[in-house]
Amino acid sequence: MGQSILLGVSGGIAAYKSVDLVRRLRENAHTVRVVMTQAAQSFVTPLTFQAVSGYPVGCDLLDAESEAAMDHISLARFAEKIIIAPASADVIARLAQGMANDLLTAICLATTAPIAIVPAMNHRMWHNPITQANVAKLQQFGYAVWGPDEGTQACGEYGLGRMLEPEAIVTHIENKNSVTPLHRKTIVITAGPTREPLDPVRFISNRSSGKMGYALAAAAAQSGAKVILISGPTALAPPKNVQLISIETATQMYETVMQQIPQCDIFIGAAAVADFRPTTAAPQKSSKNEFSSTLSLTANPDIIRAVAQFTPKPLTIGFAAETHDVKLHAMRKWENKGLDAIIANQVGLAEGGFDSDVNSVELYSAEGMVQFPRQSKIELAHHLIEWISNYYGKQTKDSIKNIG
Ligand code: C5P
């Protein structure tokens, strides 16, 4: 299906190849609007891009005429994906600084669309630690970076810095996993059990291993999201490119989550939070005689319910582990907690659920039910993140339509 692509062209000899890129994208039924930096116009004229794209080309942030045609906010909204090809060292540096001193950089700051840069520059400029730091910073913010290729350069030198060929760029654009709606989004995930102390050596907890939450965190990071994993005690290694915050109790998990929610786009509650904590925790180890047959318990905060009540509310997805009447319990929790979706699974069977490496789940949302058959938690996490990414993409498109 054709996509609405905003192509940013910055200054570099590779700009001539982007003319062919536009032609190929249009052949594949995509709508392309081109925005050029001033330096790009020294290599190819806006008229050339206008002729191949079929639309006026955006060149100037403050030009009354082009503002009237389509201003930076409208262009930012138009874009399902923004591709900057070629991306010069200069435009990469300006983007990394959050500058908005021309039309292209202003659009990049204003958009919610995923952005990919396709660098093209002299190999020494590419290897310069400043450029590398700028690229790494953009990657941290979820920008995709395609290339560069190695080869002979326009200056006659050999090295890494050639722009990818148009055909390869089209392949990246059309690969649904290469720029997902999760790029540059912050996802907060809770995982594992919580521990509620009775005294310094004893606690109340549950059988959660944390495997599902950690697998989701890894899959989300691979989709370009910035992931903050807030985890109770587990035996698992922290996933790559994920910020891990370790906590012990439900109260600590609640406080840590609430600190992160103002910057959070998507929240996934995969933790098995203890529903109650001992009302008092003894400061020293109690002797077994000191435990009476009744234990006084206090309810823990419902973290996900608090997240779902936050304004602006992140897309909020919970889990329901049930031994029976799975659908009924899941639907109740979905409604009572104000969730966008709930992922339900049956526990207490010989295989699957807590501590297992495999699981099968049903996901309920306003769009109905989707079944994810038995598979490894790692595979399942990728499928769930794909669903979440598509759902999130549709939601943000809808909210943009509502504003526009
Ligand atoms: O009510 P129940 O514990 O079955 O709900 C499960 C969902 O709610 C999970 O997403 C879990 O992470 C979340 N939850 C929570 N805080 C609690 C209890 C559950 O965030 N105190």
Side-chain angles (χ1 to χ4, degrees):
M1 206 177 68
Q3 304 172 35
S4 303
I5 293 165
L6 189 131
L7 175 69
V9 182
S10 67
I13 183 62
Y16 81 90
K17 289 192 195 173
S18 298
V19 177
D20 184 40
L21 173 62
V22 176
R23 185 187 62 75
R24 285 170 187 265
L25 287 170
R26 287 196 68 193
E27 270 173 14
N28 290 7
H30 303 297
T31 305
V32 187
R33 300 210 55 152
V34 179
V35 170
M36 301 178 80
T37 65
Q38 197 171 2
Q41 296 164 51
S42 304
F43 292 92
V44 181
T45 66
L47 205 57
T48 309
F49 278 111
Q50 179 172 323
V52 286
S53 70
Y55 288 101
V57 172
C59 292
D60 201 338
L61 183 59
L62 304 172
D63 171 52
E65 230 166 78
S66 61
E67 278 282 305
M70 219 183 189
D71 62 70
H72 63 286
I73 300 296
S74 313
L75 283 165
R77 283 183 186 158
F78 152 84
E80 275 176 74
K81 285 180 184 170
I82 295 183
I83 315 298
I84 305 180
S88 65
D90 177 74
V91 87
I92 290 171
R94 288 189 291 121
L95 289 169
Q97 291 307 312
M99 289 174 76
N101 58 346
D102 65 4
L103 184 60
L104 179 57
T105 49
I107 289 169
C108 290
L109 270 191
T111 191
T112 56
I115 305 176
I117 57 169
V118 192
M121 66 195 77
N122 168 272
H123 64 105
R124 274 191 289 270
M125 291 171 82
W126 173 251
H127 286 301
N128 189 303
I130 302 176
T131 304
Q132 287 301 307
N134 288 335
V135 171
K137 191 167 171 191
L138 291 180
Q139 278 175 312
Q140 273 171 18
F141 285 111
Y143 280 59
V145 181
W146 299 338
D149 266 347
E150 190 174 311
T152 307
Q153 303 208 278
C155 54
E157 295 181 2
Y158 185 91
L160 203 60
R162 279 171 64 90
M163 186 171 91
L164 295 190
E165 293 302 325
E167 200 182 346
I169 301 174
V170 173
T171 306
H172 274 294
I173 292 172
E174 293 181 346
N175 173 358
K176 65 180 165 52
N177 294 322
S178 66
V179 194
T180 77
L182 300 187
H183 271 96
R184 299 158 62 236
K185 301 296 170 243
T186 300
I187 306 189
V188 175
I189 302 177
T190 63
T194 63
R195 282 182 181 172
E196 313 300 325
L198 283 150
D199 66 22
V201 293
R202 302 183 181 92
F203 53 78
I204 298 176
S205 192
N206 59 57
R207 292 186 51 191
S208 168
S209 64
K211 284 176 187 166
M212 195 67 241
Y214 276 55
L216 284 166
Q222 283 167 31
S223 295
K226 177 181 175 217
V227 183
I228 301 168
L229 177 63
I230 300 172
S231 172
T234 71
L236 305 171
K240 260 201 234 156
N241 301 321
V242 166
Q243 183 190 345
L244 174 68
I245 306 178
S246 299
I247 53 81
E248 289 239 340
T249 66
T251 311
Q252 289 166 353
M253 185 176 269
Y254 171 79
E255 283 164 3
T256 314
V257 165
M258 293 323 280
Q259 276 168 12
Q260 301 297 335
I261 292 309
Q263 307 88 41
C264 167
D265 300 294
I266 300 173
F267 176 83
I268 306 175
V273 184
D275 293 313
F276 296 97
R277 64 177 177 273
T279 304
T280 50
Q284 288 182 316
K285 184 180 172 187
S286 315
S287 82
K288 57 184 157 214
N289 301 333
E290 286 175 82
F291 288 112
S292 65
S293 57
T294 54
L295 195 58
S296 169
L297 296 174
T298 300
N300 275 327
D302 191 319
I303 301 168
I304 206 163
R305 189 196 296 266
V307 170
Q309 285 169 1
F310 199 85
T311 314
K313 178 190 163 197
L315 187 79
T316 308
I317 295 156
F319 274 79
E322 310 292 342
T323 54
H324 60 285
D325 293 332
V326 178
K327 181 174 178 184
L328 183 77
H329 286 120
M331 296 296 280
R332 258 191 216 148
K333 284 176 192 177
W334 176 54
E335 203 174 342
N336 291 343
K337 293 179 189 245
L339 308 181
D340 293 287
I342 192 154
I343 299 161
N345 68 309
Q346 187 151 6
V347 288
L349 303 175
E351 206 187 34
F354 288 141
D355 213 18
S356 171
D357 287 326
V358 295
N359 209 357
S360 60
V361 299
E362 286 171 357
L363 183 152
Y364 299 91
S365 73
E367 292 185 347
M369 192 268 275
V370 186
Q371 211 147 18
F372 295 85
R374 185 179 173 282
Q375 55 197 298
S376 79
K377 284 186 177 169
I378 293 171
E379 277 174 282
L380 180 60
H382 280 283
H383 288 128
L384 290 172
I385 290 294
E386 193 180 339
W387 185 93
I388 292 167
S389 173
N390 287 334
Y391 191 80
Y392 180 76
K394 279 185 256 170
Q395 301 281 307
T396 40
K397 267 266 159 257
D398 285 350
S399 65
I400 287 168
K401 265 190 230 137
N402 292 340
I403 302 166

